[in-house]
Amino acid sequence: MSFLLGALDPIAISFGGIEIHWYGVIIASAVILATILAVREARRRRINPDDIYDMILWALPVSIISARTYYVAFQWRYYSQHPDQIVRIWDGGIAIYGALIGAGIVVYFFTRSRWIPTWLMLDVAAPVLIMAQGIGRWGNFMNQEAFGKVTSLTFLNSLHLPEFIINQMYIRGAYRTPTFLYESVWDILGFIVLISLRYIPKLFKQGEVFLTYVIWYSIGRFFIEGMRTDSLMLLGFRVSQWLSVILFIGSIIIIIWRRSKNKTNPYYLDGNQLNPNVVE
């Protein structure tokens, strides 16, 4: 049996008129943990850890700006009437696909400038990236966003969810499907899968851990997006579902193309093999 206790306070700390939101705390924690794990993997691949730190210093602000820009662009009807809210990122409203686009651009140009194979860096980043996404969904939970259609208390209880999750899913006068949780679980499972793939190099070529990440995330996002009620829309279609299909098909095509193009393409290059002429 569930007792309605009210929503959790989205403010973690408040002092002197300054408020720190749980959303920001959770996102920051995910980034810190992802950085620590990425540095450990970079050392294993003989990539200078300083390159990871430097790349993140560029990728973080760019990805945040691009994530917000992506979200605002598809909600322009609202934000054109409320321009003062465009910068209120702490209230939520960022799109992960927008963040990935921005981060991807930074990774490409950064690795080129440091003579690091782009696919190698993407393989290092992919597992920790999907892990951070899984953790970050709990920021949506605290803000009561990224939820699904109206459901029943009976259904939520049937999932054997903790009481605090069920109570937080009472939004706008009704219980909602916890799609944030579905995606979080899918992402964490993806993290486990991608970490496992790192240790079977005779099966995967360089870059295919990252491409597997894109395929895995696209599958989950396509189905989960269909359950949500706050999707970004374009011409009557859910933008994330269409993008998921494009990325899924595109990743498979790239894998097939790269393998057919160069059957001798090396597996998992390490730092001793890094050079500007490396075949990707």
Side-chain angles (χ1 to χ4, degrees):
M1 185 175 184
S2 181
F3 300 95
L4 187 61
L5 301 177
L8 298 173
D9 189 351
I11 308 299
I13 303 173
S14 179
F15 59 95
I18 299 175
E19 295 180 340
I20 299 177
H21 292 237
W22 277 113
Y23 185 88
V25 171
I26 292 172
I27 296 296
S29 299
V31 170
I32 292 172
L33 179 57
T35 301
I36 293 172
L37 295 180
V39 167
R40 290 181 60 182
E41 179 62 13
R43 288 196 177 100
R44 191 174 77 86
R45 301 291 189 89
R46 297 191 175 97
I47 296 176
N48 189 338
D50 287 341
D51 288 328
I52 298 294
Y53 294 126
D54 291 344
M55 185 179 70
I56 290 174
L57 287 176
W58 283 100
L60 266 182
V62 171
S63 61
I64 292 173
I65 292 171
S66 60
R68 184 60 170 179
T69 300
Y70 184 101
Y71 183 86
V72 170
F74 287 107
Q75 297 279 19
W76 185 244
R77 179 176 297 181
Y78 172 81
Y79 285 104
S80 63
Q81 303 299 317
H82 305 83
D84 59 304
Q85 296 189 24
I86 291 177
V87 298
R88 294 182 62 84
I89 195 171
W90 50 87
D91 290 332
I94 59 175
I96 187 60
Y97 275 135
L100 294 177
I101 291 171
I105 292 172
V106 170
V107 170
Y108 177 80
F109 286 104
F110 181 86
T111 53
R112 291 294 177 179
S113 69
R114 298 289 179 96
W115 301 112
I116 301 171
T118 302
W119 287 115
L120 174 62
M121 186 65 83
L122 289 173
D123 278 348
V124 170
V128 298
L129 178 58
I130 200 170
M131 178 208 66
Q133 289 175 241
I135 295 173
R137 280 302 175 194
W138 288 88
N140 297 132
F141 167 73
M142 293 302 300
N143 277 358
Q144 291 188 307
E145 57 190 11
F147 53 81
K149 300 176 181 178
V150 172
T151 189
S152 66
L153 177 58
T154 301
F155 172 75
L156 294 178
N157 281 325
S158 72
L159 298 178
H160 304 289
L161 299 175
E163 199 74 20
F164 75 96
I165 294 181
I166 294 177
N167 289 330
Q168 190 74 350
M169 286 297 97
Y170 190 78
I171 303 169
R172 301 175 189 170
Y175 286 101
R176 304 283 179 162
T177 304
T179 48
F180 89 91
L181 180 61
Y182 297 166
E183 186 166 335
S184 179
V185 171
W186 180 257
D187 290 347
I188 297 303
L189 286 175
F191 168 68
I192 295 172
V193 169
L194 295 179
I195 285 293
S196 301
L197 296 183
R198 282 176 168 173
Y199 298 98
I200 46 176
K202 294 302 180 182
L203 180 62
F204 287 86
K205 289 179 180 289
Q206 186 185 110
E208 291 182 1
V209 169
F210 171 75
L211 292 170
T212 301
Y213 152 71
V214 176
I215 292 170
W216 179 277
Y217 182 72
S218 297
I219 292 172
R221 185 60 185 269
F222 178 85
F223 289 103
I224 295 170
E225 190 71 22
M227 305 178 197
R228 288 175 56 172
T229 59
D230 60 345
S231 300
L232 297 176
M233 308 293 289
L234 179 64
L235 302 176
F237 297 100
R238 298 174 188 266
V239 177
S240 290
Q241 283 191 310
W242 280 108
L243 192 52
S244 293
V245 171
I246 293 171
L247 291 173
F248 175 81
I249 296 174
S251 295
I252 293 177
I253 291 175
I254 291 173
I255 289 174
I256 295 173
W257 177 75
R258 291 178 74 234
R259 281 179 175 255
S260 63
K261 176 186 175 184
N262 188 351
K263 297 181 185 289
T264 63
N265 189 34
Y267 298 96
Y268 291 98
L269 299 176
D270 63 27
N272 290 330
Q273 296 166 297
L274 301 185
N275 65 74
N277 299 314
V278 68
V279 177
E280 296 184 277

